[in-house]
Amino acid sequence: MAFTEITGFTEVAAGVFVLRYPVLDCNVTLVSGEGGALVVDTLSTAAQAAFLLGEIRKITPDPLTVVNTHHHFDHCFGNAAFTGSEIWAHEANAARVQVKPEIRIREVYEEFGALDGMTGLDEVTIVPPTRTVRSAEVLDVGGRLVTLRYLGRGHTDNDLVVTVDGAVLTGDLIEEGAAPSFGDSYPLEWAETVAAVLELCGDGPVVPGHGAVVDKAFVAAQHADLAAVDWAIRDGHADDSPQEAVAARLVKQWALLSPEQATLAVKRGYAELSGRA
Ligand SMILES: [Zn+2]
């Protein structure tokens, strides 16, 4: 998806809108109730978040509550645009974002600052969550009940899954168009966590952290891919296979998985199995 293809929110279920932002193909979801609305994830920079807020205000003038699905910059560095709103996240997210924010901004800038649309990434003000979830919370958003759940470690140690009226918002536990990112992942637990996500899915839309809106069948397929990663790592470790060999096998099995991500997955899995994680 090119940066020039930027569009506003699309309604994917009654009062549930998704904005697919072209930089990193990142999704933001808006749940609109009567007198209140919920924004799930806030993009990467002040300019991106200002654009987002403008699009939100085309749909609702109501007070906003914010959820960050996890601590990665492309889901929470826009928080400063929502000052005054409650910002919900998992408690491990809250702990992470307050550790050396200036170092984190520099690292993220070095990796992503050159991308189109990332101007100002080095000048972000990190705003931590104001409310935290341990296992589950139900929010009343303008009369709509929205549930935030922590289902276990996976893409990170703080992925929240949001459900409202049959729609399931997975954050980066599920990604469309690219394989999920393994840099901060728990590859030996991720599949199990996604199995729990699958139980929440019915006929409604599933909004992944990145890419097109998908459905339960897509989640089932990604569960199978993640389970294959899990088992390949366990088998490789049990057989003393070199990490590179396991990573190469994974890339062959899962077409979307890049060699870099496969290498990260195996490295993190082996470290855990060797008691070094
Ligand atoms: Zn992420």
Side-chain angles (χ1 to χ4, degrees):
M1 208 179 179
F3 187 57
T4 48
E5 292 170 43
I6 191 157
T7 55
F9 280 100
T10 305
E11 193 167 20
V12 299
V16 180
F17 303 84
V18 175
L19 186 148
R20 188 173 170 186
Y21 197 75
V23 179
L24 299 177
D25 202 6
C26 202
N27 286 323
V28 176
T29 304
L30 174 71
V31 179
S32 183
E34 297 284 334
L38 184 78
V39 182
V40 181
D41 289 340
T42 63
L43 301 174
S44 301
T45 66
Q48 290 181 18
F51 168 81
L52 173 61
L53 194 52
E55 294 302 307
I56 291 167
R57 289 307 179 212
K58 290 178 186 173
I59 295 173
T60 173
D62 290 340
L64 303 171
T65 302
V66 173
V67 174
N68 294 144
T69 56
H70 61 295
H71 75 285
H72 284 159
F73 77 100
D74 46 335
H75 301 264
C76 69
F77 272 19
N79 282 0
F82 298 89
T83 308
S85 294
E86 281 187 344
I87 300 175
W88 287 84
H90 185 256
E91 58 188 12
N93 177 328
R96 278 181 182 278
V97 297
Q98 290 175 83
V99 178
K100 301 197 171 93
E102 61 294 331
I103 292 175
R104 191 157 162 248
I105 291 170
R106 196 172 66 229
E107 284 173 357
V108 166
Y109 180 72
E110 281 167 5
E111 195 172 349
F112 297 97
L115 288 180
D116 249 0
M118 283 297 187
T119 307
L121 187 58
D122 54 339
E123 290 166 355
V124 161
T125 303
I126 290 186
V127 174
T130 59
R131 304 293 301 270
T132 59
V133 180
R134 176 165 291 177
S135 55
E137 290 285 343
V138 179
L139 310 184
D140 181 337
V141 179
R144 304 188 71 170
L145 296 185
V146 179
T147 307
L148 317 181
R149 289 183 184 84
Y150 176 69
L151 299 170
R153 301 197 295 188
H155 172 66
T156 68
D157 63 1
N158 61 87
D159 305 294
L160 286 185
V161 176
V162 180
T163 53
V164 55
D165 295 336
V168 181
L169 287 43
T170 66
D172 288 359
L173 285 169
I174 299 292
E175 283 196 38
E176 191 279 336
S181 161
F182 284 89
D184 291 322
S185 74
Y186 295 84
L188 308 178
E189 296 164 53
W190 196 337
E192 201 179 321
T193 301
V194 168
V197 175
L198 200 49
E199 291 193 6
L200 298 174
C201 297
D203 297 333
V206 177
V207 184
H210 299 261
V213 173
V214 294
D215 58 11
K216 184 177 184 174
F218 185 94
V219 177
Q222 198 148 97
H223 173 261
D225 286 330
L226 289 163
V229 169
D230 179 344
W231 284 105
I233 293 170
R234 290 178 198 275
D235 285 348
H237 190 265
D239 294 345
D240 273 333
S241 296
Q243 295 191 26
E244 310 75 63
V246 179
R249 220 176 300 147
L250 288 178
V251 170
K252 271 194 203 142
Q253 273 176 16
W254 190 353
L256 283 176
L257 193 61
S258 70
E260 294 75 26
Q261 291 300 326
T263 302
L264 280 169
V266 178
K267 188 175 162 206
R268 290 185 66 88
Y270 268 46
E272 198 173 335
L273 289 166
S274 305
R276 287 182 279 108

